[in-house]
Amino acid sequence: MSEFVSKNLAINEKGHLTIAGLDTVELAKEYGTPLYVMDEDLIREHCRSFRQSMEQYYDGAGLVCYASKAFSCKAMYRIAKEEGIGIDVVSAGELYTAACVDFPMDKVCYHGNNKTEFELRMAIEHKVGRIIVDNIYELELLNKLAAEEGVKARIMYRIKPGVDAHTHDFVKTGQIDSKFGFALETGEAFEAIKKALSLENIEFVGVHCHIGSQIFDIAPFVEAANVMMGLIEQVKVELGHEITELNLGGGFGIKYTESDTPVPYADYMDKVSETVKALCKERGLKLPFILIEPGRSIVAPAGITLYTVGGIKEIPNIRTYVSVDGGLGDNPRYALYKSEYDFVVANKADKAKDSVVTVAGRCCESGDLLGEGVKLQTTEVGDTLAVLATGAYNYSMSSNYNRVPKPPVLMICNGEVKVAVKRETLEDIVRNDM
Ligand SMILES: *Cc1c(COP(=O)(O)O)cnc(C)c1O
């Protein structure tokens, strides 16, 4: 058993941290830092586990769609394609990347609260399986664009089910005061469904909700399924229309630090299936096709980021800053949400964590920190610092702030290292400058 937050991490005979069996200190030496390292085998294991839960508990009458905003690049879309799961995209850029690897477009859900006309056209042209419509303006625009193409757009509605997901306010999206979707309580969603059913170039297939992120309870998902089935029933009874698809979103929690206690991913489908099946039986509804959209839970535990320690600044009686060669450019999550991570000095992984420090990034912002009150082995200049469980919302949220090139992404598969994304160069930094 690993003593680390992710099971693919261990310590080798040199006392170095390993990921998927490879020495992280060696990886840092060979590929430079900062460096994202992803364990492809673990990503695939997570894809399979979600897929199997759909088979086991819902007779396979559904689709797991990887929410690709968590980590998006060609290599990742190839993995999803090979594992037979679908994807969520939220931009032309993500859709384009998926198209580059011939991703099966019928398994794509296109999300977003303000898709541009260009993006809607692109979604229609690529024949994506489901466009998740957020508002009436978008519905009407999509109807018009689909008419111009002489097709029907397959859509679902983003619904705010009003379920409290017991999570950080920034990532709670199921409540009324949210920029996403149609409100249920006010009748807005029901009226909007009536409207969608009346439009010539719209094929309304279902309803979607996403109640938040990094959720550890199963109860809010069961509650969301309950509420959404209520809407499906209302539409059947009052409009005589049977909705065939139910998308319950993602948000399954992962272990960032010791205090996080995720439930096994299969448990979500177990409990949700039970609820949906019971409700359908009780109310005489057809079993809907179910979609779920795990993002973080598929990739976060599979990744780590490696940095090199530079200056160490001890401010007596205040704190010690340990600066690294990356920061909010490659991981903005602490600056954005005060997200906590586990840190390990990779070349001293077998030593006790005998100091408490602030890990600072290299950018010109006081808020450019990766963690405060971080328990760490005693650090020295030149050490390799590993931040754990950074596979989600790190590379995908990275920027070129301060014109720092983005780190590369390595994928480890069967003990072999593949470069999934090359390190950006200084020429890349100026490539669009005139
Ligand atoms: C972000 C998002 C997800 C994935 O959330 P995770 O917390 O990464 O699992 C799924 N569906 C929608 C609509 C999202 O916006």
Side-chain angles (χ1 to χ4, degrees):
M1 259 312 278
S2 165
E3 60 188 281
F4 297 105
V5 286
S6 310
K7 67 177 184 179
N8 56 347
L9 304 174
I11 299 173
N12 67 13
E13 64 293 344
K14 290 183 186 154
H16 294 177
L17 177 73
T18 62
I19 178 167
L22 299 190
D23 188 318
T24 57
V25 181
E26 295 300 321
L27 290 174
K29 232 178 247 160
E30 185 169 351
Y31 295 92
T33 58
L35 180 66
Y36 297 114
V37 187
M38 305 280 283
D39 175 355
E40 181 172 332
D41 302 323
L42 189 57
I43 296 175
R44 287 180 186 273
E45 190 182 313
H46 293 152
C47 295
R48 279 170 212 165
S49 143
F50 276 110
R51 215 186 129 175
Q52 276 161 13
S53 74
M54 189 65 83
E55 297 287 335
Q56 186 177 349
Y57 297 108
Y58 206 66
D59 311 313
L63 183 64
V64 177
C65 288
Y66 164 63
S68 70
K69 70 177 194 273
F71 172 74
S72 163
C73 63
K74 286 184 192 173
M76 186 59 215
Y77 291 124
R78 278 187 209 108
I79 293 171
K81 181 178 164 184
E82 285 165 15
E83 293 301 332
I85 64 173
I87 52 166
D88 280 3
V89 299
V90 288
S91 71
E94 288 176 355
L95 182 58
Y96 180 82
T97 312
C100 285
V101 305
D102 286 323
F103 198 89
M105 290 292 159
D106 58 320
K107 290 186 185 167
V108 174
C109 289
Y110 200 123
H111 283 274
N113 66 304
N114 194 22
K115 305 169 196 80
T116 64
E117 185 169 327
F118 171 81
E119 289 176 315
L120 290 173
R121 277 189 207 282
M122 189 170 167
I124 292 171
E125 277 160 20
H126 280 85
K127 301 188 175 65
V128 308
R130 295 156 186 89
I131 299 173
I132 293 40
V133 169
D134 180 88
N135 55 70
I136 290 290
Y137 156 73
E138 186 173 280
L139 177 75
E140 289 171 344
L141 178 57
L142 188 59
N143 185 53
K144 186 185 96 167
L145 298 176
E148 282 170 24
E149 291 295 315
V151 296
K152 274 190 168 218
R154 284 191 94 231
I155 73 154
M156 307 186 88
Y157 266 162
R158 170 94 183 227
I159 306 289
K160 290 183 252 197
V163 173
D164 179 359
H166 312 291
T167 181
H168 195 297
D169 268 346
F170 288 177
V171 284
K172 191 165 70 186
T173 51
Q175 78 285 18
I176 277 224
D177 182 11
S178 162
K179 71 169 183 172
F180 295 107
F182 297 97
L184 195 70
E185 295 103 303
T186 60
E188 184 190 20
F190 182 77
E191 288 305 315
I193 290 172
K194 243 199 254 178
K195 167 121 196 171
L197 292 174
S198 75
L199 295 180
E200 198 62 17
N201 294 87
I202 294 292
E203 182 190 354
F204 182 78
V205 297
V207 284
H208 164 275
C209 67
H210 172 67
I211 54 174
S213 209
Q214 188 62 355
I215 302 167
F216 293 111
D217 278 358
I218 293 184
F221 289 98
V222 169
E223 182 52 21
N226 235 311
V227 168
M228 297 292 276
M229 288 307 294
L231 177 62
I232 289 176
E233 185 187 15
Q234 188 194 1
V235 170
K236 183 179 177 191
V237 171
E238 295 182 31
L239 302 177
H241 177 85
E242 192 121 21
I243 286 173
T244 54
E245 299 195 357
L246 171 62
N247 187 332
L248 291 167
F252 316 113
I254 74 117
K255 196 178 186 79
Y256 282 108
T257 67
E258 271 316 306
S259 58
D260 295 329
T261 50
V263 292
Y265 301 144
D267 291 6
Y268 293 102
M269 269 318 290
D270 182 7
K271 292 289 175 285
V272 162
S273 300
E274 203 179 283
T275 305
V276 171
K277 283 179 183 169
L279 287 173
C280 284
K281 201 163 174 196
E282 185 189 306
R283 304 181 191 174
L285 300 167
K286 279 193 203 124
L287 274 185
F289 186 84
I290 289 187
L291 297 102
I292 57 168
E293 307 176 317
R296 186 191 312 273
S297 48
I298 287 189
V299 286
I304 61 170
T305 310
L306 299 174
Y307 301 96
T308 300
V309 172
I312 297 168
K313 197 167 285 178
E314 257 187 86
I315 308 177
N317 305 318
I318 303 201
R319 60 166 110 196
T320 299
Y321 285 98
V322 173
S323 291
V324 296
D325 53 354
L328 67 73
D330 58 79
N331 182 358
R333 292 189 69 251
Y334 189 79
L336 274 174
Y337 316 112
K338 289 253 180 294
S339 305
E340 288 189 37
Y341 287 97
D342 248 18
F343 296 73
V344 183
V345 177
N347 50 309
K348 298 172 182 165
D350 57 341
K351 304 282 189 302
K353 290 186 172 178
D354 53 4
S355 64
V356 176
V357 302
T358 292
V359 178
R362 50 157 302 151
C363 290
C364 291
E365 294 284 330
S366 299
D368 174 20
L369 304 176
L370 292 174
E372 290 168 281
V374 170
K375 285 204 196 97
L376 206 57
Q377 291 84 1
T378 300
T379 47
E380 295 159 278
V381 174
D383 280 344
T384 302
L385 182 69
V387 185
L388 312 185
T390 58
Y393 305 110
N394 272 238
Y395 171 68
S396 66
M397 286 186 139
S398 65
S399 76
N400 289 119
Y401 183 53
N402 286 170
R403 294 226 143 185
V404 176
K406 291 183 189 177
V409 181
L410 303 185
M411 284 271 186
I412 304 173
C413 182
N414 281 324
E416 303 258 333
V417 180
K418 297 186 283 190
V419 178
V421 182
K422 288 193 293 186
R423 186 180 295 283
E424 280 188 344
T425 62
L426 293 174
E427 294 85 75
D428 289 332
I429 291 293
V430 295
R431 72 177 177 260
N432 295 322
D433 291 11
M434 305 299 283

